[in-house]
């Protein structure tokens, strides 16, 4: 039997993560029992103490074990957390050596959504890929530069370390683990019972591009603001460099360091974000939207749009424009 430890983290822990993960693994046991088979998982909540108070005491979780009680487990689940991340990490710092010890003893570790910050704080993710909620990707990169942040992915899996995309996409990682441990048929059954779409690989359609502006480089911020105000025009990197009285090479280096994007990438992201908003709210056809955001090459627009969102412009409009259902 595989022992699964779901951490009852201190502070603003996601109750939905705790409950859904607990229920999904135990549902597998129920399916197996109804088929006359032995249960596969022993699922327990594990805390730092015998009682964990969440949301300023509004909710109380009673873990079955504390980390002092549990010598060995097979899978550690780190749920999502909310609030100022440095404060959350401080509240839960006693989990870090325990997680490291469990991993060294052969346990696998999975973080759900923003739980990735706690997993990254162990150092186990250094040099490896990790996903989290796209809203927190910039903060994550700043705090953990040695981890390969891939916010477009819903699931990462490297050397027994797993991470998931944001919010309810975390349940796709739980399904992934169920498939790994209990088989494809059991994962399909759980996906139907809990009504979770199987085999989702990207959270790109949900990402809203806002640009990283908390970097402290005023010249780069001016370049960003200029791009965002003039995205419909044909802007060149040389034009921006001249405007800021910088040579092109210096501007590109500073821009990349500050935003994690090249200038061309940033231009594309701003244009595609504008196109997304138009496709969501207007009745303009695809070519009209393309011209509105400054593209003249249909193939280039469609290719860039799909690379950014994971969907074609038509697929995106059909999914998000309310008018398509009227």
């Amino acid at each position: 039997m595989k022992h699964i430890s779901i951490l009852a983290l201190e502070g603003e822990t996601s109750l939905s993560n705790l409950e859904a993960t607990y229920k999904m693994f135990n549902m597998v046991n129920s399916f197996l029992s109804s088929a006359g088979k032995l249960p596969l998982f022993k699922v327990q909540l594990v805390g730092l103490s015998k009682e964990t108070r969440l949301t300023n005491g509004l909710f109380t979780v009673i873990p079955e074990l504390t980390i002092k009680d549990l010598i060995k487990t097979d899978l550690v689940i780190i749920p999502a957390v909310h609030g100022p991340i440095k404060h959350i990490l401080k509240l839960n710092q006693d989990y870090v050596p325990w997680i490291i010890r469990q991993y060294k003893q052969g346990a696998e570790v999975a973080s759900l959504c923003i739980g990735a910050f706690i997993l990254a704080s162990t150092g186990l993710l250094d040099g490896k890929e990790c996903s989290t909620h796209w809203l927190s990707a910039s903060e994550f990169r700043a705090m953990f530069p040695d981890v390969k942040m891939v916010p477009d992915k819903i699931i990462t899996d490297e050397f027994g370390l797993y991470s998931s995309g944001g919010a309810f996409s975390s349940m796709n990682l739980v399904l992934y683990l169920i498939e790994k441990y209990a088989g494809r048929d059991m994962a399909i059954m759980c996906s139907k019972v809990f009504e979770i779409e199987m085999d989702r690989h990207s959270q790109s359609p949900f990402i809203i591009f806002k640009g990283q502006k908390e970097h402290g480089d005023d010249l780069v911020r001016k370049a960003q603001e200029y791009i965002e105000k003039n995205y419909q025009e044909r802007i060149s990197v040389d034009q921006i460099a001249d405007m800021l009285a910088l040579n092109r090479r210096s501007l590109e280096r500073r821009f990349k360091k500050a935003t994690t994007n090249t200038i061309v990438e940033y231009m594309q992201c701003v244009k595609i974000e504008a196109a997304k908003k138009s496709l969501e709210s207007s009745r303009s056809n695809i070519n009209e939207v393309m011209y509105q955001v400054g593209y003249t090459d249909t193939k280039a627009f469609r290719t860039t749009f799909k690379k950014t969102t994971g969907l074609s412009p038509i697929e995106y409009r059909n999914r998000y424009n309310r008018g398509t259902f009227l």
Side-chain angles (χ1 to χ4, degrees), residues 117-265:
F117 283 81
I118 291 177
L119 179 52
S121 71
T122 66
L124 296 174
L125 283 175
D126 289 357
K128 303 177 183 69
E129 288 191 347
C130 179
S131 186
T132 189
H133 198 295
W134 56 267
L135 274 172
S136 299
S138 294
E139 185 177 13
F140 186 97
R141 286 192 185 99
M143 290 183 66
F144 304 106
D146 293 329
V147 181
K148 300 175 183 176
M149 170 49 53
V150 284
D152 57 309
K153 290 189 177 182
I154 285 182
I155 294 169
T156 66
D157 173 357
E158 287 192 79
F159 303 102
L161 298 169
Y162 308 90
S163 67
S164 75
F168 295 106
S169 70
S170 297
M171 294 303 99
N172 287 95
L173 175 55
V174 178
L175 272 184
Y176 178 86
L177 293 169
I178 287 172
E179 179 174 355
K180 178 175 181 178
Y181 301 139
R184 178 75 174 180
D185 290 345
M186 192 62 71
I188 291 173
M189 179 69 76
C190 286
S191 77
K192 291 179 178 179
V193 170
F194 289 94
E195 300 188 26
I196 302 170
E197 185 180 346
M198 288 282 290
D199 300 325
R200 291 176 59 221
H201 301 292
S202 175
Q203 56 179 338
S204 294
F206 306 104
I207 295 175
I208 301 172
F209 182 76
K210 293 184 177 180
Q212 167 61 276
K213 292 193 176 74
E214 299 176 0
H215 44 68
D217 190 323
D218 290 339
L219 282 178
V220 171
R221 190 178 294 108
K222 286 180 181 178
Q224 291 173 273
E225 291 170 353
Y226 183 80
I227 292 169
E228 291 164 7
K229 289 178 182 177
N230 299 278
Y231 66 86
Q232 296 170 311
E233 309 298 327
R234 295 179 65 88
I235 307 170
S236 70
V237 178
D238 288 330
Q239 178 183 343
I240 298 172
D242 290 343
M243 179 187 73
L244 298 174
L246 285 175
N247 67 62
R248 174 171 178 153
R249 189 170 182 178
S250 294
L251 174 60
E252 290 182 320
R253 176 180 53 78
R254 286 173 64 170
F255 198 97
K256 175 75 172 179
K257 181 180 179 180
T259 69
T260 74
N261 297 115
T262 67
I263 298 175
V264 172
E265 287 171 346

